Amino acid sequence: MIFAVPVFPGSNCDHDMVNALRDVLHAQAELVPATTSDLSTYDAVILPGGFSYGDYLRSGAIARFAPVMTAVQAFAAAGKPVMGICNGFQILTEAGLLPGALQANRSAKFICQTSELIVRNTQTQFTTTYTENQHIQLPIAHGEGNYYCDAATLAELQAHHQIVFEYADNPNGSVANIAGIINRAGNVLGMMPHPERAVEAILGSIDGLGLFNSLLTNQGQEVTHA
Amino acid sequence: MYLVKVYVTYKESILDPKGEAVNDALHRLGYTNVQSVELGKYFELRLTASSRPIEAEVDEMCDRLLANVNMETYRYDITELEAL
């Protein structure tokens, strides 16, 4: 399984992601520039955190029109796994690959801390190695991580079990404590917390490993609902 | 040539913590009669006429890039500029 990690101008968690994939998980991973227009040789795409294009205008608003995002749209439409972390999540919502939007934190502060999450859906190709309702510790680092969607969208998310991660102690004001969601098709996941920063004990947590191990175990195959 | 002034603001249901921070700062400066501050974005576009109606073009630009219609609304004024 070969991972592509697109690098936008202003991405800053791209190397952390490749470190997690290559050095910790011994998987194949390559950084690809935002000008890439073909991702057909890859098996999974992970949009990294950072401040793409300075996050000018809105977080992710300019990145979503980078050439690589046309390729990501096609990649996702083909049913292959796409994961967006932090700024990657913001890009996925701006691109319309996930519903809703990320607005400024309720406190108006940039929040950088370890956050406790609850895994609410383990029947996805990204989360099979967790147990349902497991509490995990992952770092968050964002100024605009306050997930917003309207009531109709929230009802859809709940009805189709698309809320994958919830905050135990909602730090940013997100609707329904949402920390991470998946699309209806089950192959596009976005989350504000950083699993790639929680892959070695020396980093304070290894709870992020579950996401990557799930992807590597499922090899891009949809998880059938029991 | 047209001058288009675009104003993007949050929908009413959306929190505006930056606007609240400015509101609080005005209060600290003694302007306690300020009831609320909404902080939005302002764009000035200068563009030439194309084959499409300018309103349709500006609507599309707002929907695709200038505003996030999940949480923002927009309005704009169009002025035709005299050719130099």
PDB file of all heavy atoms in Angstrom, chain A residues 57-95:
ATOM      1  N   LEU A  57      -7.962  34.031   3.085  1.00  0.00           N
ATOM      2  CA  LEU A  57      -9.372  33.913   2.711  1.00  0.00           C
ATOM      3  C   LEU A  57     -10.122  33.062   3.731  1.00  0.00           C
ATOM      4  O   LEU A  57     -10.887  33.588   4.516  1.00  0.00           O
ATOM      5  CB  LEU A  57      -9.538  33.381   1.289  1.00  0.00           C
ATOM      6  CG  LEU A  57     -10.935  33.490   0.704  1.00  0.00           C
ATOM      7  CD1 LEU A  57     -11.404  34.921   0.666  1.00  0.00           C
ATOM      8  CD2 LEU A  57     -10.967  32.885  -0.696  1.00  0.00           C
ATOM      9  N   ARG A  58      -9.915  31.743   3.712  1.00  0.00           N
ATOM     10  CA  ARG A  58     -10.429  30.822   4.737  1.00  0.00           C
ATOM     11  C   ARG A  58      -9.505  29.611   4.720  1.00  0.00           C
ATOM     12  O   ARG A  58      -8.903  29.312   3.691  1.00  0.00           O
ATOM     13  CB  ARG A  58     -11.866  30.330   4.413  1.00  0.00           C
ATOM     14  CG  ARG A  58     -12.970  31.338   4.476  1.00  0.00           C
ATOM     15  CD  ARG A  58     -14.317  30.670   4.137  1.00  0.00           C
ATOM     16  NE  ARG A  58     -14.255  29.897   2.900  1.00  0.00           N
ATOM     17  CZ  ARG A  58     -14.359  30.423   1.680  1.00  0.00           C
ATOM     18  NH1 ARG A  58     -14.553  31.707   1.516  1.00  0.00           N
ATOM     19  NH2 ARG A  58     -14.253  29.653   0.609  1.00  0.00           N
ATOM     20  N   SER A  59      -9.480  28.880   5.819  1.00  0.00           N
ATOM     21  CA  SER A  59      -8.643  27.680   5.870  1.00  0.00           C
ATOM     22  C   SER A  59      -9.047  26.719   4.755  1.00  0.00           C
ATOM     23  O   SER A  59     -10.201  26.326   4.679  1.00  0.00           O
ATOM     24  CB  SER A  59      -8.812  26.976   7.216  1.00  0.00           C
ATOM     25  OG  SER A  59      -8.525  27.858   8.271  1.00  0.00           O
ATOM     26  N   GLY A  60      -8.098  26.374   3.920  1.00  0.00           N
ATOM     27  CA  GLY A  60      -8.351  25.367   2.893  1.00  0.00           C
ATOM     28  C   GLY A  60      -9.028  25.879   1.632  1.00  0.00           C
ATOM     29  O   GLY A  60      -9.142  25.148   0.645  1.00  0.00           O
ATOM     30  N   ALA A  61      -9.466  27.145   1.638  1.00  0.00           N
ATOM     31  CA  ALA A  61     -10.281  27.651   0.519  1.00  0.00           C
ATOM     32  C   ALA A  61      -9.498  27.747  -0.785  1.00  0.00           C
ATOM     33  O   ALA A  61     -10.065  27.559  -1.872  1.00  0.00           O
ATOM     34  CB  ALA A  61     -10.866  29.020   0.875  1.00  0.00           C
ATOM     35  N   ILE A  62      -8.215  28.046  -0.682  1.00  0.00           N
ATOM     36  CA  ILE A  62      -7.407  28.180  -1.904  1.00  0.00           C
ATOM     37  C   ILE A  62      -6.814  26.831  -2.290  1.00  0.00           C
ATOM     38  O   ILE A  62      -6.769  26.462  -3.461  1.00  0.00           O
ATOM     39  CB  ILE A  62      -6.330  29.263  -1.703  1.00  0.00           C
ATOM     40  CG1 ILE A  62      -7.026  30.620  -1.473  1.00  0.00           C
ATOM     41  CG2 ILE A  62      -5.395  29.340  -2.921  1.00  0.00           C
ATOM     42  CD1 ILE A  62      -6.094  31.777  -1.197  1.00  0.00           C
ATOM     43  N   ALA A  63      -6.430  26.054  -1.267  1.00  0.00           N
ATOM     44  CA  ALA A  63      -5.842  24.733  -1.533  1.00  0.00           C
ATOM     45  C   ALA A  63      -6.791  23.836  -2.322  1.00  0.00           C
ATOM     46  O   ALA A  63      -6.368  23.025  -3.137  1.00  0.00           O
ATOM     47  CB  ALA A  63      -5.459  24.058  -0.220  1.00  0.00           C
ATOM     48  N   ARG A  64      -8.091  23.998  -2.081  1.00  0.00           N
ATOM     49  CA  ARG A  64      -9.032  23.076  -2.731  1.00  0.00           C
ATOM     50  C   ARG A  64      -9.019  23.214  -4.253  1.00  0.00           C
ATOM     51  O   ARG A  64      -9.489  22.340  -4.962  1.00  0.00           O
ATOM     52  CB  ARG A  64     -10.445  23.277  -2.209  1.00  0.00           C
ATOM     53  CG  ARG A  64     -11.069  24.573  -2.655  1.00  0.00           C
ATOM     54  CD  ARG A  64     -12.550  24.440  -2.805  1.00  0.00           C
ATOM     55  NE  ARG A  64     -12.898  23.553  -3.899  1.00  0.00           N
ATOM     56  CZ  ARG A  64     -14.088  23.496  -4.469  1.00  0.00           C
ATOM     57  NH1 ARG A  64     -15.057  24.250  -4.028  1.00  0.00           N
ATOM     58  NH2 ARG A  64     -14.336  22.685  -5.467  1.00  0.00           N
ATOM     59  N   PHE A  65      -8.470  24.310  -4.761  1.00  0.00           N
ATOM     60  CA  PHE A  65      -8.378  24.491  -6.214  1.00  0.00           C
ATOM     61  C   PHE A  65      -6.994  24.167  -6.766  1.00  0.00           C
ATOM     62  O   PHE A  65      -6.723  24.393  -7.937  1.00  0.00           O
ATOM     63  CB  PHE A  65      -8.779  25.922  -6.606  1.00  0.00           C
ATOM     64  CG  PHE A  65     -10.246  26.189  -6.401  1.00  0.00           C
ATOM     65  CD1 PHE A  65     -10.689  27.004  -5.382  1.00  0.00           C
ATOM     66  CD2 PHE A  65     -11.193  25.584  -7.219  1.00  0.00           C
ATOM     67  CE1 PHE A  65     -12.046  27.235  -5.176  1.00  0.00           C
ATOM     68  CE2 PHE A  65     -12.553  25.802  -7.034  1.00  0.00           C
ATOM     69  CZ  PHE A  65     -12.982  26.628  -6.005  1.00  0.00           C
ATOM     70  N   ALA A  66      -6.089  23.654  -5.926  1.00  0.00           N
ATOM     71  CA  ALA A  66      -4.771  23.219  -6.411  1.00  0.00           C
ATOM     72  C   ALA A  66      -4.971  22.026  -7.346  1.00  0.00           C
ATOM     73  O   ALA A  66      -5.910  21.247  -7.166  1.00  0.00           O
ATOM     74  CB  ALA A  66      -3.885  22.836  -5.231  1.00  0.00           C
ATOM     75  N   PRO A  67      -4.097  21.867  -8.348  1.00  0.00           N
ATOM     76  CA  PRO A  67      -4.262  20.746  -9.296  1.00  0.00           C
ATOM     77  C   PRO A  67      -4.399  19.385  -8.621  1.00  0.00           C
ATOM     78  O   PRO A  67      -5.204  18.558  -9.051  1.00  0.00           O
ATOM     79  CB  PRO A  67      -2.986  20.817 -10.136  1.00  0.00           C
ATOM     80  CG  PRO A  67      -2.583  22.260 -10.081  1.00  0.00           C
ATOM     81  CD  PRO A  67      -2.978  22.749  -8.711  1.00  0.00           C
ATOM     82  N   VAL A  68      -3.654  19.167  -7.537  1.00  0.00           N
ATOM     83  CA  VAL A  68      -3.712  17.845  -6.895  1.00  0.00           C
ATOM     84  C   VAL A  68      -5.115  17.545  -6.377  1.00  0.00           C
ATOM     85  O   VAL A  68      -5.514  16.379  -6.272  1.00  0.00           O
ATOM     86  CB  VAL A  68      -2.669  17.730  -5.754  1.00  0.00           C
ATOM     87  CG1 VAL A  68      -3.073  18.557  -4.523  1.00  0.00           C
ATOM     88  CG2 VAL A  68      -2.442  16.283  -5.355  1.00  0.00           C
ATOM     89  N   MET A  69      -5.909  18.582  -6.092  1.00  0.00           N
ATOM     90  CA  MET A  69      -7.242  18.329  -5.555  1.00  0.00           C
ATOM     91  C   MET A  69      -8.193  17.794  -6.632  1.00  0.00           C
ATOM     92  O   MET A  69      -9.141  17.066  -6.312  1.00  0.00           O
ATOM     93  CB  MET A  69      -7.813  19.580  -4.884  1.00  0.00           C
ATOM     94  CG  MET A  69      -7.173  19.899  -3.534  1.00  0.00           C
ATOM     95  SD  MET A  69      -7.184  18.492  -2.378  1.00  0.00           S
ATOM     96  CE  MET A  69      -8.959  18.260  -2.138  1.00  0.00           C
ATOM     97  N   THR A  70      -7.949  18.136  -7.883  1.00  0.00           N
ATOM     98  CA  THR A  70      -8.723  17.528  -8.964  1.00  0.00           C
ATOM     99  C   THR A  70      -8.459  16.025  -8.982  1.00  0.00           C
ATOM    100  O   THR A  70      -9.373  15.207  -9.132  1.00  0.00           O
ATOM    101  CB  THR A  70      -8.352  18.159 -10.321  1.00  0.00           C
ATOM    102  OG1 THR A  70      -8.523  19.576 -10.207  1.00  0.00           O
ATOM    103  CG2 THR A  70      -9.218  17.632 -11.449  1.00  0.00           C
ATOM    104  N   ALA A  71      -7.179  15.686  -8.766  1.00  0.00           N
ATOM    105  CA  ALA A  71      -6.802  14.269  -8.716  1.00  0.00           C
ATOM    106  C   ALA A  71      -7.390  13.597  -7.474  1.00  0.00           C
ATOM    107  O   ALA A  71      -7.820  12.436  -7.531  1.00  0.00           O
ATOM    108  CB  ALA A  71      -5.279  14.135  -8.733  1.00  0.00           C
ATOM    109  N   VAL A  72      -7.428  14.315  -6.360  1.00  0.00           N
ATOM    110  CA  VAL A  72      -8.000  13.751  -5.131  1.00  0.00           C
ATOM    111  C   VAL A  72      -9.500  13.501  -5.307  1.00  0.00           C
ATOM    112  O   VAL A  72     -10.030  12.486  -4.858  1.00  0.00           O
ATOM    113  CB  VAL A  72      -7.734  14.671  -3.910  1.00  0.00           C
ATOM    114  CG1 VAL A  72      -8.537  14.228  -2.682  1.00  0.00           C
ATOM    115  CG2 VAL A  72      -6.244  14.688  -3.569  1.00  0.00           C
ATOM    116  N   GLN A  73     -10.186  14.426  -6.004  1.00  0.00           N
ATOM    117  CA  GLN A  73     -11.621  14.237  -6.284  1.00  0.00           C
ATOM    118  C   GLN A  73     -11.833  12.939  -7.065  1.00  0.00           C
ATOM    119  O   GLN A  73     -12.730  12.138  -6.735  1.00  0.00           O
ATOM    120  CB  GLN A  73     -12.169  15.416  -7.107  1.00  0.00           C
ATOM    121  CG  GLN A  73     -12.215  16.746  -6.354  1.00  0.00           C
ATOM    122  CD  GLN A  73     -13.509  16.983  -5.590  1.00  0.00           C
ATOM    123  OE1 GLN A  73     -14.348  16.096  -5.496  1.00  0.00           O
ATOM    124  NE2 GLN A  73     -13.644  18.171  -5.014  1.00  0.00           N
ATOM    125  N   ALA A  74     -11.011  12.725  -8.081  1.00  0.00           N
ATOM    126  CA  ALA A  74     -11.137  11.515  -8.905  1.00  0.00           C
ATOM    127  C   ALA A  74     -10.795  10.273  -8.078  1.00  0.00           C
ATOM    128  O   ALA A  74     -11.463   9.232  -8.173  1.00  0.00           O
ATOM    129  CB  ALA A  74     -10.220  11.616 -10.122  1.00  0.00           C
ATOM    130  N   PHE A  75      -9.761  10.393  -7.262  1.00  0.00           N
ATOM    131  CA  PHE A  75      -9.302   9.316  -6.392  1.00  0.00           C
ATOM    132  C   PHE A  75     -10.426   8.893  -5.443  1.00  0.00           C
ATOM    133  O   PHE A  75     -10.719   7.702  -5.279  1.00  0.00           O
ATOM    134  CB  PHE A  75      -8.095   9.837  -5.600  1.00  0.00           C
ATOM    135  CG  PHE A  75      -7.242   8.797  -4.944  1.00  0.00           C
ATOM    136  CD1 PHE A  75      -6.207   8.187  -5.643  1.00  0.00           C
ATOM    137  CD2 PHE A  75      -7.441   8.459  -3.617  1.00  0.00           C
ATOM    138  CE1 PHE A  75      -5.395   7.252  -5.021  1.00  0.00           C
ATOM    139  CE2 PHE A  75      -6.640   7.518  -2.995  1.00  0.00           C
ATOM    140  CZ  PHE A  75      -5.613   6.911  -3.696  1.00  0.00           C
ATOM    141  N   ALA A  76     -11.071   9.896  -4.834  1.00  0.00           N
ATOM    142  CA  ALA A  76     -12.165   9.629  -3.896  1.00  0.00           C
ATOM    143  C   ALA A  76     -13.367   9.043  -4.634  1.00  0.00           C
ATOM    144  O   ALA A  76     -14.018   8.115  -4.139  1.00  0.00           O
ATOM    145  CB  ALA A  76     -12.560  10.906  -3.153  1.00  0.00           C
ATOM    146  N   ALA A  77     -13.648   9.576  -5.815  1.00  0.00           N
ATOM    147  CA  ALA A  77     -14.796   9.088  -6.593  1.00  0.00           C
ATOM    148  C   ALA A  77     -14.599   7.627  -6.992  1.00  0.00           C
ATOM    149  O   ALA A  77     -15.565   6.879  -7.165  1.00  0.00           O
ATOM    150  CB  ALA A  77     -15.000   9.957  -7.827  1.00  0.00           C
ATOM    151  N   ALA A  78     -13.327   7.219  -7.110  1.00  0.00           N
ATOM    152  CA  ALA A  78     -13.025   5.817  -7.452  1.00  0.00           C
ATOM    153  C   ALA A  78     -13.112   4.907  -6.236  1.00  0.00           C
ATOM    154  O   ALA A  78     -12.873   3.700  -6.338  1.00  0.00           O
ATOM    155  CB  ALA A  78     -11.632   5.731  -8.084  1.00  0.00           C
ATOM    156  N   GLY A  79     -13.415   5.481  -5.076  1.00  0.00           N
ATOM    157  CA  GLY A  79     -13.612   4.676  -3.874  1.00  0.00           C
ATOM    158  C   GLY A  79     -12.348   4.410  -3.079  1.00  0.00           C
ATOM    159  O   GLY A  79     -12.362   3.651  -2.109  1.00  0.00           O
ATOM    160  N   LYS A  80     -11.247   5.057  -3.471  1.00  0.00           N
ATOM    161  CA  LYS A  80      -9.995   4.839  -2.737  1.00  0.00           C
ATOM    162  C   LYS A  80      -9.949   5.713  -1.481  1.00  0.00           C
ATOM    163  O   LYS A  80     -10.579   6.765  -1.433  1.00  0.00           O
ATOM    164  CB  LYS A  80      -8.802   5.152  -3.646  1.00  0.00           C
ATOM    165  CG  LYS A  80      -8.668   4.203  -4.832  1.00  0.00           C
ATOM    166  CD  LYS A  80      -7.446   4.583  -5.663  1.00  0.00           C
ATOM    167  CE  LYS A  80      -7.224   3.606  -6.797  1.00  0.00           C
ATOM    168  NZ  LYS A  80      -6.066   4.015  -7.621  1.00  0.00           N
ATOM    169  N   PRO A  81      -9.182   5.267  -0.466  1.00  0.00           N
ATOM    170  CA  PRO A  81      -9.203   5.986   0.813  1.00  0.00           C
ATOM    171  C   PRO A  81      -8.476   7.335   0.791  1.00  0.00           C
ATOM    172  O   PRO A  81      -7.364   7.444   0.270  1.00  0.00           O
ATOM    173  CB  PRO A  81      -8.512   5.020   1.783  1.00  0.00           C
ATOM    174  CG  PRO A  81      -7.724   4.100   0.933  1.00  0.00           C
ATOM    175  CD  PRO A  81      -8.415   4.008  -0.396  1.00  0.00           C
ATOM    176  N   VAL A  82      -9.148   8.337   1.340  1.00  0.00           N
ATOM    177  CA  VAL A  82      -8.599   9.684   1.473  1.00  0.00           C
ATOM    178  C   VAL A  82      -8.796  10.100   2.927  1.00  0.00           C
ATOM    179  O   VAL A  82      -9.890   9.957   3.474  1.00  0.00           O
ATOM    180  CB  VAL A  82      -9.325  10.690   0.562  1.00  0.00           C
ATOM    181  CG1 VAL A  82      -8.803  12.118   0.787  1.00  0.00           C
ATOM    182  CG2 VAL A  82      -9.171  10.292  -0.910  1.00  0.00           C
ATOM    183  N   MET A  83      -7.715  10.598   3.540  1.00  0.00           N
ATOM    184  CA  MET A  83      -7.823  11.074   4.919  1.00  0.00           C
ATOM    185  C   MET A  83      -7.283  12.496   4.965  1.00  0.00           C
ATOM    186  O   MET A  83      -6.267  12.803   4.342  1.00  0.00           O
ATOM    187  CB  MET A  83      -7.017  10.147   5.840  1.00  0.00           C
ATOM    188  CG  MET A  83      -7.094  10.506   7.302  1.00  0.00           C
ATOM    189  SD  MET A  83      -6.713   9.099   8.394  1.00  0.00           S
ATOM    190  CE  MET A  83      -4.958   8.973   8.220  1.00  0.00           C
ATOM    191  N   GLY A  84      -7.976  13.370   5.669  1.00  0.00           N
ATOM    192  CA  GLY A  84      -7.519  14.752   5.837  1.00  0.00           C
ATOM    193  C   GLY A  84      -7.357  15.052   7.308  1.00  0.00           C
ATOM    194  O   GLY A  84      -8.287  14.837   8.090  1.00  0.00           O
ATOM    195  N   ILE A  85      -6.175  15.510   7.692  1.00  0.00           N
ATOM    196  CA  ILE A  85      -5.883  15.805   9.092  1.00  0.00           C
ATOM    197  C   ILE A  85      -5.787  17.319   9.255  1.00  0.00           C
ATOM    198  O   ILE A  85      -5.013  17.963   8.531  1.00  0.00           O
ATOM    199  CB  ILE A  85      -4.531  15.179   9.516  1.00  0.00           C
ATOM    200  CG1 ILE A  85      -4.482  13.680   9.213  1.00  0.00           C
ATOM    201  CG2 ILE A  85      -4.247  15.476  10.986  1.00  0.00           C
ATOM    202  CD1 ILE A  85      -5.525  12.858   9.913  1.00  0.00           C
ATOM    203  N   CYS A  86      -6.528  17.877  10.187  1.00  0.00           N
ATOM    204  CA  CYS A  86      -6.433  19.296  10.531  1.00  0.00           C
ATOM    205  C   CYS A  86      -6.667  20.167   9.290  1.00  0.00           C
ATOM    206  O   CYS A  86      -7.779  20.199   8.796  1.00  0.00           O
ATOM    207  CB  CYS A  86      -5.089  19.564  11.214  1.00  0.00           C
ATOM    208  SG  CYS A  86      -5.050  21.113  12.122  1.00  0.00           S
ATOM    209  N   ASN A  87      -5.656  20.824   8.771  1.00  0.00           N
ATOM    210  CA  ASN A  87      -5.853  21.607   7.552  1.00  0.00           C
ATOM    211  C   ASN A  87      -6.363  20.714   6.412  1.00  0.00           C
ATOM    212  O   ASN A  87      -7.151  21.169   5.562  1.00  0.00           O
ATOM    213  CB  ASN A  87      -4.543  22.293   7.149  1.00  0.00           C
ATOM    214  CG  ASN A  87      -4.690  23.414   6.115  1.00  0.00           C
ATOM    215  OD1 ASN A  87      -3.890  23.526   5.191  1.00  0.00           O
ATOM    216  ND2 ASN A  87      -5.704  24.273   6.249  1.00  0.00           N
ATOM    217  N   GLY A  88      -5.966  19.450   6.426  1.00  0.00           N
ATOM    218  CA  GLY A  88      -6.474  18.513   5.417  1.00  0.00           C
ATOM    219  C   GLY A  88      -7.980  18.329   5.526  1.00  0.00           C
ATOM    220  O   GLY A  88      -8.682  18.206   4.513  1.00  0.00           O
ATOM    221  N   PHE A  89      -8.497  18.314   6.750  1.00  0.00           N
ATOM    222  CA  PHE A  89      -9.946  18.226   6.993  1.00  0.00           C
ATOM    223  C   PHE A  89     -10.617  19.499   6.471  1.00  0.00           C
ATOM    224  O   PHE A  89     -11.652  19.450   5.786  1.00  0.00           O
ATOM    225  CB  PHE A  89     -10.180  18.053   8.496  1.00  0.00           C
ATOM    226  CG  PHE A  89     -11.622  17.849   8.929  1.00  0.00           C
ATOM    227  CD1 PHE A  89     -12.629  17.484   8.036  1.00  0.00           C
ATOM    228  CD2 PHE A  89     -11.967  17.993  10.271  1.00  0.00           C
ATOM    229  CE1 PHE A  89     -13.941  17.294   8.475  1.00  0.00           C
ATOM    230  CE2 PHE A  89     -13.271  17.803  10.716  1.00  0.00           C
ATOM    231  CZ  PHE A  89     -14.257  17.460   9.816  1.00  0.00           C
ATOM    232  N   GLN A  90     -10.004  20.647   6.763  1.00  0.00           N
ATOM    233  CA  GLN A  90     -10.568  21.917   6.294  1.00  0.00           C
ATOM    234  C   GLN A  90     -10.613  21.944   4.757  1.00  0.00           C
ATOM    235  O   GLN A  90     -11.604  22.399   4.156  1.00  0.00           O
ATOM    236  CB  GLN A  90      -9.714  23.083   6.822  1.00  0.00           C
ATOM    237  CG  GLN A  90      -9.775  23.224   8.343  1.00  0.00           C
ATOM    238  CD  GLN A  90      -8.660  24.078   8.932  1.00  0.00           C
ATOM    239  OE1 GLN A  90      -7.595  24.236   8.330  1.00  0.00           O
ATOM    240  NE2 GLN A  90      -8.905  24.647  10.112  1.00  0.00           N
ATOM    241  N   ILE A  91      -9.579  21.414   4.119  1.00  0.00           N
ATOM    242  CA  ILE A  91      -9.546  21.373   2.653  1.00  0.00           C
ATOM    243  C   ILE A  91     -10.660  20.458   2.124  1.00  0.00           C
ATOM    244  O   ILE A  91     -11.345  20.786   1.151  1.00  0.00           O
ATOM    245  CB  ILE A  91      -8.158  20.906   2.151  1.00  0.00           C
ATOM    246  CG1 ILE A  91      -7.073  21.929   2.523  1.00  0.00           C
ATOM    247  CG2 ILE A  91      -8.181  20.692   0.628  1.00  0.00           C
ATOM    248  CD1 ILE A  91      -5.641  21.421   2.327  1.00  0.00           C
ATOM    249  N   LEU A  92     -10.861  19.313   2.788  1.00  0.00           N
ATOM    250  CA  LEU A  92     -11.896  18.367   2.332  1.00  0.00           C
ATOM    251  C   LEU A  92     -13.297  18.969   2.431  1.00  0.00           C
ATOM    252  O   LEU A  92     -14.146  18.715   1.578  1.00  0.00           O
ATOM    253  CB  LEU A  92     -11.817  17.067   3.136  1.00  0.00           C
ATOM    254  CG  LEU A  92     -10.603  16.172   2.846  1.00  0.00           C
ATOM    255  CD1 LEU A  92     -10.570  14.991   3.821  1.00  0.00           C
ATOM    256  CD2 LEU A  92     -10.608  15.665   1.403  1.00  0.00           C
ATOM    257  N   THR A  93     -13.550  19.772   3.470  1.00  0.00           N
ATOM    258  CA  THR A  93     -14.878  20.401   3.565  1.00  0.00           C
ATOM    259  C   THR A  93     -15.007  21.493   2.510  1.00  0.00           C
ATOM    260  O   THR A  93     -16.044  21.606   1.863  1.00  0.00           O
ATOM    261  CB  THR A  93     -15.167  20.991   4.970  1.00  0.00           C
ATOM    262  OG1 THR A  93     -14.180  21.966   5.294  1.00  0.00           O
ATOM    263  CG2 THR A  93     -15.190  19.916   6.022  1.00  0.00           C
ATOM    264  N   GLU A  94     -13.953  22.278   2.317  1.00  0.00           N
ATOM    265  CA  GLU A  94     -14.012  23.321   1.290  1.00  0.00           C
ATOM    266  C   GLU A  94     -14.227  22.704  -0.088  1.00  0.00           C
ATOM    267  O   GLU A  94     -14.895  23.281  -0.947  1.00  0.00           O
ATOM    268  CB  GLU A  94     -12.729  24.174   1.297  1.00  0.00           C
ATOM    269  CG  GLU A  94     -12.663  25.192   2.437  1.00  0.00           C
ATOM    270  CD  GLU A  94     -13.563  26.411   2.197  1.00  0.00           C
ATOM    271  OE1 GLU A  94     -13.965  26.644   1.047  1.00  0.00           O
ATOM    272  OE2 GLU A  94     -13.863  27.123   3.180  1.00  0.00           O
ATOM    273  N   ALA A  95     -13.636  21.532  -0.299  1.00  0.00           N
ATOM    274  CA  ALA A  95     -13.742  20.860  -1.598  1.00  0.00           C
ATOM    275  C   ALA A  95     -15.092  20.166  -1.780  1.00  0.00           C
ATOM    276  O   ALA A  95     -15.383  19.644  -2.858  1.00  0.00           O
ATOM    277  CB  ALA A  95     -12.608  19.841  -1.748  1.00  0.00           C
TER     278      ALA A  95
END
